[in-house]
Amino acid sequence: MAVKNAMTSDFLHSAYGGESMAHMRYLTWGTMAEKEGFPNIAKLFEAIAYAERVHANNHFKEIGGNTADATVVAGAVFGTGKTVDNLQGAINGELHEVEQMYPVYLNAAEFQEEKGAQRSFHFALEAEKIHAELFKQAQDAAKGNQDIKLEAVYVCPICGHTILDGAPDNCPVCGAKKEMYKKF
Ligand SMILES: [Fe+2]
Ligand SMILES: [Fe+2]
């Protein structure tokens, strides 16, 4: 269903832009982490890049309607440094989404009774909380010149829920079944 109100539509466009950039940025930083000798941090970046793609895709679909041009304004973290610095950029970006962006977007969507956008913003908000924590764990390891300890990263393809070392029977955010999770 297409969004009806201009403000929620603007927020969907902006969130789409932000998530699209986050997707690419994490792939770039992941490649850099691999070269720096942190294969698990690289895997974490790759998995979370996929989660951001899920969010971008959800927001894009909620815009709906006929195809049309739009100019998108979306804040983003730019720059490349050592992995420990890139992880700080990732943490800052995720915390911005958790503490400011998505709560405000979600409030607007609730006020404007935009059910689809509410769902899309809610899914992203819940995933970004976890991403911030995982990036903090990765940065703690990298600060000691260690890789993060993990076997695999699992991502829900419906909402982007992200978890280490094993998927739950049902996604705690959207209810998707264990078998649907994508493993990295
Ligand atoms: Fe995220
Ligand atoms: Fe999910």
Side-chain angles (χ1 to χ4, degrees), residues 156 158-159 161 171 173-176:
C156 174
I158 307 299
C159 74
H161 175 252
C171 173
V173 179
C174 78

Side-chain angles (χ1 to χ4, degrees), residues 19-30:
E19 296 288 0
S20 300
M21 287 191 278
H23 170 74
M24 284 307 304
R25 183 166 62 247
Y26 292 163
L27 291 180
T28 303
W29 285 344

Side-chain angles (χ1 to χ4, degrees), residues 26 48 52 55 94 97 127-128 131:
Y26 292 163
I48 295 181
E52 312 308 9
H55 297 154
E94 299 288 346
E97 290 179 309
E128 313 309 8
H131 295 169

Side-chain angles (χ1 to χ4, degrees), residues 130-157:
I130 297 167
H131 295 169
E133 284 308 312
L134 290 172
F135 283 136
K136 280 180 194 168
Q137 290 176 29
Q139 194 193 39
D140 285 344
K143 278 179 179 168
N145 209 29
Q146 301 290 313
D147 202 356
I148 188 173
K149 287 185 175 50
L150 58 83
E151 297 291 324
V153 188
Y154 294 80
V155 181
C156 174

Side-chain angles (χ1 to χ4, degrees), residues 56-71:
N57 197 40
N58 287 345
H59 300 331
F60 192 85
K61 287 193 287 191
E62 291 304 334
I63 292 167
N66 298 321
T67 56
D69 288 358
T71 299

Side-chain angles (χ1 to χ4, degrees), residues 169-180:
D169 288 340
N170 289 97
C171 173
V173 179
C174 78
K177 287 195 185 341
K178 184 188 192 102
E179 303 75 55
M180 289 185 70

